[in-house]
Each structure stands twice: as C-alpha cells, then as structure tokens.
Amino acid sequence: MSKMDRYISPTVKAIPPSGIRKFFDLVTQTKGVISLGVGEPDFVTPWHIREACFYSLEQGYTMYTSNSGLPELREEIAIYEKRKIGVEYKPADEILITVGVSEAVDIAMRALLEPGDEVLVPEPCFVSYAPGADLAFGKAVPVPTYDEDEYRLRPDILEKYITPKSKILVLAYPSNPTGGVMTQEDLAALVDIIIKNDLIVISDEIYSELTYVGQHTSIASFPGMKDRTIVMNGFSKAFAMTGWRIGYACGHPDIIAAMTKIHQYTIMCAPIMGQMAAIEALRHGEAEMRKMVDDYNYRRKIILSGLREIGCSCFEPRGAFYCFPSIAISGMNSEDFCEKLLFEEQVAVVPGNAFGNNGEGYIRCCYAASISNIEAAIEKMGRFISRHRKS
Amino acid sequence: MELKRKILQLIENDAKLSPRTIAVMLDEDEAKIAAIIEQMEADKVILGYNTVINWEKADGDGAMAMIDVKVTPEREFGFSKVAERICRFPEVRCVYLMSGTYDLSVMVCGETMKDIADFISHKLSTLEQVQSTVTHFMLKRYKQDNLIFEDPQQDKRLVVSP
C-alpha cells in the first residue's frame, strides 16, 4: 500500500478497476492492431455541425449557459422526444442538459439514492451504472439477461431480484455491449412490475436512433410511466459527437430539479459550444444521421454473417453497433480469448465479462469500423478459431 | 429498381465490394446481385470501374487542365456531334455540356503542361465548330469523387473504449 492510499475513500477503493482499462493497456502495446474494441462511431461529427460550432465561437458564444442548458436546445429536445418517443416534456422544467449521459446517470443516482437503496442493473451492460450506484452510496444489484432471450430483460427474472430496498431500475436499450433491444411488447411486460414496486426507471436511450429492426420504444411512453422514468439521451452515438459531451435528461420536474441542484454545484453547465452544435444537429442533422445509420446497418449484416460463418453463435443484434457472439467454440474464457486473439492475430475485441459477470463466455465486437477492417478481422478470427477449436 | 439503385449507391462509393458482400448487406442472394450487376454492365448503366489515384504520392508527374470551350451548335445535332468528336481524343478525360458563358467543359490530361497546350492549339482549337477556348491549369487536387487527397481525419479514436 502506498503512503497516500489511506486517504482514499473506502467507497472508491471498493470499486473494482475497469476490465476494459486493463485490456486497453494491452492493445496499446501491440502494433498493427485492427480494433473492433471501440465504443464510439467511426465517423467524425458531420461538417455542418462542426461549422455551426465555429460560427457560434465567432459570434462570441463562449460564456456560461443557465444550469439547465440553452433554452433553444431544450426546446429542440422537447420537439425531438415528442416526435421520437411520443412523450411531451416541458423545456422549462422537465429537461436538463448534461455532460453526456454519463453525468445524467451519476446525478440521477445521487439525487435519488439513500444509503442502502438498491439499483437493479440488467447485465451485461455499459460499465458505469454499478459504480454510479456505489458512488451514490446505493447498492447495484445485477439482474442477469441471457443470450437465448437476446439479452432482453425478462419480467420473471426481474421480479426475483426486487426487494423492499429496490428503488431504481436501469434500462439501457439498445444495449451496449450486446446490441439487444426491448420491443414494445417486452417493455409492456415490465410496466406493472415497475409500478407495483414503485421503481424509478433510468432509461438510457443513447443508442435509440441506431435501431435497425422495428421502432425504438421508450418505457416512458407507457401509461403511468412518464413521471417515474428519467429518459436519458444525447448526441454521441446518433450524431457522432462523442467528444462534445452533450447529453440530457427528461423527467418529472421534481426529479429534474433535484438533479439540477447537483449539476449546478458540480458542473455548472454543459459547455456552450457543444450545446450550440447540438442545436444544429437536431435542427438539420437528420439526413446525415440517417446515412450513418444505414452504413452501420450494412456493416452489422456483414459482421453477423462473418461471425456465423467462422462458427461463432450470435443472435441478431437489432440495435447499437455491437455484436456479442459466444466464444464457447474455443473453450476459452473471455479474457484468454481476447488476449490470445490480440497476440496471435492482432485483432482487438473486448471480453464480455468487462460488462458484467454473465458476459463471461462472450466477446463484444464493435462494427463501427470500415468494411475492409471488419472483413480482415473476421478472416483473422476465423483462422484463430480454427486453431483453437475445442476438441 | 430500388435494388438496382441500392447496388449502384454501394459500388459508386466502393467498387471493390464483391457481389457476395453486397448480397449480405442487402439481404439478397449472391447470384442475383451478380446477375444484376452484369446486366447493368451490359446495359452500360455501369460504364466501368476506375481508381482514384494520388499520383503525387506515386511519384507520377502529370498535368491537367479544365478548358472552357465555346462551340457553334449544328443543325439537327446541337452540341452532341462536336462533343462526341472531342470525346474521341485520348487526352480528354471528361466532357460536360454546361449552362452559362461557355458551352463545353473539357478536362484534359497530359504528361506536361506543354502536352496540353499542344493539344489545345493543334487539335481542339482547330476543330471547325470551336469558337474559343479558355484554359485553366489544375494546380493541386484536394478532393475528387468524394475522396479527400490529404485527409488529416485519420482514425483518432482510442483503440479500446467502453
């Protein structure tokens, strides 16, 4: 233990290091890697959005905004959400602009949780929810989802994990890392359970535009759910704006006010240049975004077909830009598979267990990569699997 | 027709896509895609497959010019006959009929600027229907066929991220 270690909060110490961080270090030490391990679009932000940011800077928009964010942006978000999920939010007090969805998740947990409150987190999932609960002195309760269910949250399984301390349910669909989606019917089956158990839903819909089969549905759109759902979304994935760090939360005025209280004392406001760019994205970005989504969809089909051809079983991911194939054919665990694949074939994919224990036996392959890189990676993975096929 | 259009959009951006890959992308049968492409080649919907090359990087010299050409249209044929004649010269890469102050825009390539000058003075300007030419030599190519030549936008993402 280093001499300063004793000053570190036990809560922070108890949070395990990210499995992705360890793998990142390995990948950066390897040369000539084809990476399917990236969690962001391979497009840069469309030029008209970047240009709108330059213009705003030229016009002198370099100051703070209100804590809640620019009124024009909140108005555009209200229009967008009404159109996309059919739920009306008042720009004045039901929408908060945050620094990415990550901040929205963090402040929602801190606004809602008391020590010991439980947060139901369907896994495998994005890495932030459980640490977010821990940092707010709550307790993350992993709820397993399964390959055979295409990683949809099943009502019977959810019910098993609910206790009198359960307060928040995280729903993050389309899913990172699985690409799974929840259909309207899937969500409808959860509504009664959520209401009966008085749960608040954090609905992380950051990948909602990247839905390739059917329409995205938000849990907030069901009767009785708007007030108990915090819809979170942002610009990172749909508009290729990851580095701008602009997200938002929509919800009941009391919850948004509580979140805003934390936001104002920690962040103050999301950067104005990002907010100006986000306005442009919502007003004029639909066509470019559709092109990007079409491109992801083509690559989704190529990678899925390729993975199945080399013998990996994989359900059809209907959203986001990830495949989550089983590596049972190799007989290896996720970390061994990824490390050996990296060393032997210089292909980076992410171990499934980095996203929760029941991601073990799977890998996350991101298809936000060029078609030539996807095809080359599949060829290399095919060679690798042939060599390591479980006898 | 919709399928043809989708195929064309895909191969316009990447001529190297195989019928097999296109079939996967469009949820179609590989043989069907190959047949449609073959038919479009036969119908001259698809005229050919070129490569965009940055000759500066390939140590290749060369010169290119855009020439504004005013011509006298001909009865019955309009601009077509002279345009087709200009197309026959191997030095000519593109010929477009334009609106505005001149009629044809002609792109010409040669080993040197002198080659181009000789082509204009000896072959193009001497055509009976050509009234005048204005030549613009290309100094540098920045973008062609939707490809940026010196694109600083390489993949700057972290190699692994959550």
Side-chain angles (χ1 to χ4, degrees):
Chain A
M1 193 197 312
S2 78
K3 71 174 183 179
M4 302 308 285
D5 188 72
R6 64 196 168 94
Y7 292 104
I8 307 297
S9 142
T11 307
V12 173
K13 273 200 233 178
I15 295 173
S18 161
I20 285 186
R21 180 74 230 176
K22 180 186 153 199
F23 196 64
F24 174 81
D25 292 339
L26 277 178
V27 176
T28 49
Q29 289 159 18
T30 312
K31 283 191 177 154
V33 173
I34 297 177
S35 183
L36 304 185
V38 187
E40 60 178 315
D42 60 329
F43 297 101
V44 291
T45 308
W47 178 252
H48 71 100
I49 297 174
R50 288 185 273 165
E51 202 276 337
C53 174
F54 305 153
Y55 182 68
S56 76
L57 289 170
E58 284 170 7
Q59 296 298 304
Y61 285 99
T62 59
M63 63 293 285
Y64 294 129
T65 71
S66 74
N67 298 134
S68 302
L70 290 168
E72 299 93 319
L73 178 55
R74 283 179 281 136
E75 279 160 22
E76 290 296 336
I77 289 167
I79 295 166
Y80 174 83
E81 290 295 344
K82 170 83 172 91
R83 191 172 80 240
K84 292 289 173 182
I85 65 169
V87 181
E88 286 189 48
Y89 292 101
K90 291 201 281 294
D93 58 2
E94 293 185 329
I95 297 173
L96 168 65
I97 311 300
T98 57
V99 178
V101 169
S102 298
E103 191 222 347
V105 170
D106 175 39
I107 61 177
M109 300 265 194
R110 287 199 273 163
L112 295 173
L113 294 176
E114 290 184 70
D117 282 345
E118 291 177 356
V119 180
L120 298 151
V121 184
E123 286 188 349
C125 68
F126 181 60
V127 297
S128 291
Y129 309 121
D134 292 342
L135 289 168
F137 306 106
K139 182 185 167 201
V141 176
V143 182
T145 60
Y146 298 101
D147 191 3
E148 56 266 33
D149 299 322
E150 300 188 352
Y151 294 99
R152 289 174 287 207
L153 176 59
R154 266 172 40 194
D156 57 318
I157 296 177
L158 172 64
E159 278 188 305
K160 282 186 200 160
Y161 288 84
I162 293 175
T163 74
K165 291 189 171 177
S166 301
K167 189 163 190 182
I168 295 175
L169 167 65
V170 175
L171 282 180
Y173 291 93
S175 157
N176 172 9
T178 68
V181 301
M182 293 281 281
T183 63
Q184 186 160 22
E185 295 73 35
D186 298 327
L187 292 169
L190 301 178
V191 169
D192 284 348
I193 300 168
I194 291 166
I195 293 173
K196 186 176 81 185
N197 291 284
D198 198 22
L199 300 175
I200 294 288
V201 178
I202 287 180
S203 184
D204 179 348
E205 301 179 15
I206 190 71
Y207 287 98
S208 58
E209 288 288 4
L210 278 55
T211 302
Y212 309 106
V213 182
Q215 290 284 318
H216 171 75
T217 304
S218 172
I219 191 89
S221 64
F222 289 83
M225 285 305 300
K226 182 191 166 191
D227 284 353
R228 59 174 66 250
T229 303
I230 312 170
V231 169
M232 297 180 185
N233 207 333
F235 299 82
S236 296
K237 314 299 180 183
F239 297 98
M241 292 176 66
T242 47
W244 299 77
R245 310 307 305 128
I246 300 294
Y248 57 88
C250 305
H252 188 277
D254 292 350
I255 293 177
I256 293 297
M259 289 170 65
T260 305
K261 203 185 281 182
I262 303 168
H263 174 79
Q264 73 184 356
Y265 290 125
T266 51
I267 298 293
M268 177 77 185
C269 65
I272 190 170
M273 52 285 280
Q275 293 193 56
M276 297 298 280
I279 292 172
E280 171 67 17
L282 287 180
R283 285 183 181 163
H284 304 115
E286 178 89 16
E288 289 261 351
M289 185 253 284
R290 285 284 137 234
K291 275 193 226 163
M292 292 190 275
V293 173
D294 286 347
D295 252 32
Y296 293 135
N297 194 18
Y298 287 142
R299 300 182 223 170
R300 178 181 76 100
K301 292 173 183 175
I302 289 171
I303 197 168
L304 183 63
S305 156
L307 286 167
R308 287 174 174 171
E309 270 178 31
I310 62 172
C312 289
S313 128
C314 186
F315 80 97
E316 182 191 348
R318 295 181 181 177
F321 38 55
Y322 309 103
C323 281
F324 203 63
S326 163
I327 49 163
I329 191 171
S330 70
M332 290 184 228
N333 67 35
S334 298
E335 287 189 13
D336 283 351
F337 183 97
C338 292
E339 284 183 25
K340 285 200 172 95
L341 179 65
L342 179 65
F343 294 144
E344 293 180 23
E345 294 288 349
Q346 294 76 51
V347 172
V349 294
V350 182
N353 63 337
F355 305 97
N357 289 336
N358 71 324
E360 181 53 60
Y362 296 84
I363 53 172
R364 188 192 74 175
C365 303
C366 172
Y367 51 85
S370 68
I371 289 175
S372 57
N373 271 357
I374 291 170
E375 289 182 332
I378 292 290
E379 192 184 329
K380 284 164 169 274
M381 285 169 73
R383 274 203 308 256
F384 178 81
I385 285 172
S386 301
R387 278 201 303 279
H388 296 281
R389 193 179 288 265
K390 189 171 60 175
S391 51
Chain B
M1 199 60 210
E2 177 65 10
L3 181 58
K4 278 187 186 173
R5 195 178 59 81
K6 281 185 179 172
I7 294 170
L8 290 172
Q9 282 172 342
L10 289 174
I11 58 177
E12 187 180 32
N13 286 325
D14 184 358
K16 285 178 78 179
L17 286 176
S18 67
R20 185 165 177 268
T21 303
I22 295 169
V24 171
M25 293 164 89
L26 299 178
D27 294 324
E28 292 287 350
D29 178 62
E30 181 183 346
K32 183 178 175 183
I33 297 292
I36 291 173
I37 291 175
E38 206 171 302
Q39 187 60 51
M40 288 196 289
E41 287 169 348
D43 294 343
K44 297 287 180 194
V45 174
I46 298 170
L47 292 171
Y49 303 89
N50 284 334
T51 309
V52 180
I53 298 170
N54 186 346
W55 282 107
E56 278 183 35
K57 279 194 171 175
D59 297 329
D61 291 325
M64 196 182 92
M66 302 290 294
I67 307 164
D68 308 340
V69 186
K70 270 193 178 173
V71 297
T72 308
E74 293 167 84
R75 193 180 175 100
E76 290 186 42
F77 300 108
F79 296 101
S80 297
K81 203 166 179 183
V82 64
E84 283 164 17
R85 201 163 165 197
I86 291 171
C87 286
R88 304 269 172 216
F89 291 107
E91 296 90 338
V92 172
R93 294 292 294 268
C94 306
V95 178
Y96 305 114
L97 178 63
M98 310 296 288
S99 64
T101 54
Y102 59 95
D103 304 309
L104 298 176
S105 175
V106 177
M107 185 198 287
V108 177
C109 288
E111 293 282 313
T112 63
M113 286 168 79
K114 186 174 179 306
D115 288 344
I116 292 175
D118 285 348
F119 168 78
I120 296 165
S121 56
H122 294 129
K123 295 177 179 169
L124 187 63
S125 301
T126 54
L127 291 173
E128 191 185 333
Q129 299 90 337
V130 172
Q131 297 171 23
S132 67
T133 61
V134 176
T135 303
H136 312 274
F137 280 101
M138 191 269 294
L139 302 179
K140 187 172 173 64
R141 282 193 288 187
Y142 291 98
K143 187 176 182 182
Q144 183 180 318
D145 293 339
N146 217 21
L147 297 168
I148 295 175
F149 276 62
E150 302 289 339
D151 195 351
Q153 292 178 359
Q154 291 149 350
D155 195 345
K156 299 183 179 78
R157 299 175 298 166
L158 297 173
V159 284
V160 175
S161 55

